[in-house]
Amino acid sequence: MLIGLDIGGTKIEGVVVSSSTLEIRQRLRVVTPKTNYQDFLESVKNVIATLTVRCGENIKSIGVGCCGSVDNSSGVMRGANILYLNGEHFLKDLQSEYRLPVSLTNDANCLAISEFRSGAAKDAASSCLAMILGTGCGGGVIINGGIVDGLHGLGGEIGHIPLPGFDIGIDGPAIDCYCGSRNCVESFISGTGLERSWALYNGPTSAKQVFELYTSGNKAAIQFIEAYTDRVARTLGSIINVIDPEVIVLGGGVSNQTAIYPLIKDKLRKYTFNNVSTPVIQAHHGDSSGVLGAALLPRMKGMI
């Protein structure tokens, strides 16, 4: 049995997954503490302990999907939106607690792993790109059957490349990102970025409502979604030209809007070398993608 944890700012979700069938056997969710790191660490350990007892079988490994990344030189967390995590040796603390292989990566990598192993990209021979279009925008890259972390843990940080072909007349005013860069992709194609861009000219509206307006034939929404999917296609085209994945899987809230897929397909050829059109498809595992990918992480890394 494999334990997987999906940790975010609002919840800690844990599952027990069968190592043979990849079926989720147990699931537990608790609220992420708002207090401090020690309370957080205790909550994580309590989830693991509860799942272990409920499972009643041997646990082979623990995989963790978490915001932020582990600095390879210092071993501390950085870039986490759970602020008290930054600067802490979270992975080391878990590894010292359990006599099991323990591994940690970000949520987009977990999406890529789960979809490559048993989801929408399961028929790919050795490569895929997974991209989250949710509150933020992130990516996970699988090449030669393995996840690409990169030297500094930045593999797949699609959300923080500059929007390709930025045009103020099409994409709206330039915007500074919290990361310190300007015109980051996340500011334009995440669900939050979609709502921000729409609100510039049309007033505050949820992404879901914008798509409802699009479906109903609203001219402003049609024009906007055409421009939005062009930004997505520009982003994906630039990635295709670098790594040429067999398939691209989209997750996150915006990925549930089926209207985007034919639009992206139609536009993608314009932004790829030799007019390549890589398949762009919706994630299969939905809300379970992250936690399932976390459970499979140690196996993906050859730890078990």
Side-chain angles (χ1 to χ4, degrees), residues 107-108 111-112 115 120 129-139 189-191 228 248-257 260-261 280-287 289-290:
D107 54 352
L111 170 67
E115 295 298 328
L129 167 69
M131 185 166 74
I132 293 175
L133 298 174
T135 303
C137 174
I189 70 171
S190 65
Y228 169 78
I248 296 170
V249 180
L250 300 184
V254 178
S255 75
N256 295 322
Q257 301 296 333
I260 68 175
Y261 294 96
V280 180
I281 55 180
Q282 185 178 359
H284 173 74
H285 290 303
D287 291 341
S289 284

Side-chain angles (χ1 to χ4, degrees), residues 19-240:
S19 57
S20 56
T21 67
L22 305 186
E23 175 189 358
I24 294 177
R25 298 286 183 85
Q26 298 287 339
R27 189 188 297 266
L28 176 64
R29 292 180 182 179
V30 300
V31 175
T32 303
K34 305 295 184 184
T35 48
N36 56 59
Y37 175 67
Q38 287 304 320
D39 289 344
F40 167 82
L41 186 61
E42 285 304 311
S43 291
V44 171
K45 291 192 289 188
N46 287 339
V47 169
I48 294 171
T50 301
L51 290 172
T52 301
V53 171
R54 287 184 183 179
C55 171
E57 299 182 42
N58 289 334
I59 301 298
K60 294 183 177 180
S61 63
I62 299 170
V64 182
C66 186
C67 55
S69 61
V70 178
D71 185 281
N72 285 338
S73 58
S74 66
V76 302
M77 294 291 295
R78 64 181 183 182
N81 60 13
I82 304 174
L83 296 182
Y84 55 66
L85 263 179
N86 294 314
E88 298 288 352
H89 289 85
F90 178 40
L91 177 58
K92 183 178 179 181
D93 288 341
L94 289 179
Q95 290 173 332
S96 64
E97 183 74 19
Y98 303 100
R99 294 182 178 179
L100 297 169
V102 182
S103 188
L104 182 150
T105 193
N106 63 49
D107 54 352
N109 283 348
C110 289
L111 170 67
I113 292 168
S114 66
E115 295 298 328
F116 179 72
R117 287 294 193 186
S118 63
K122 66 180 180 181
D123 294 329
S126 63
S127 66
C128 79
L129 167 69
M131 185 166 74
I132 293 175
L133 298 174
T135 303
C137 174
V141 179
I142 289 179
I143 299 292
N144 295 328
I147 197 75
V148 177
D149 289 315
L151 178 62
H152 302 99
L154 299 179
E157 285 291 352
I158 297 169
H160 295 284
I161 61 174
L163 180 67
F166 171 77
D167 185 329
I168 193 170
I170 298 172
D171 303 313
I175 181 170
D176 293 327
C177 181
Y178 66 86
C179 75
S181 296
R182 201 168 210 214
N183 294 334
C184 286
V185 159
E186 183 173 86
S187 299
F188 294 91
I189 70 171
S190 65
T192 306
L194 183 156
E195 293 172 353
R196 180 196 65 81
S197 297
W198 172 269
L200 286 174
Y201 307 106
N202 303 282
T205 307
S206 71
K208 182 179 179 181
Q209 289 172 321
V210 174
F211 279 102
E212 288 173 352
L213 289 170
Y214 172 85
T215 303
S216 70
N218 180 278
K219 290 184 179 180
I222 291 172
Q223 184 179 13
F224 177 82
I225 295 301
E226 286 283 351
Y228 169 78
T229 51
D230 188 76
R231 293 177 199 121
V232 175
R234 276 183 261 159
T235 302
L236 295 178
S238 67
I239 305 301
I240 290 169

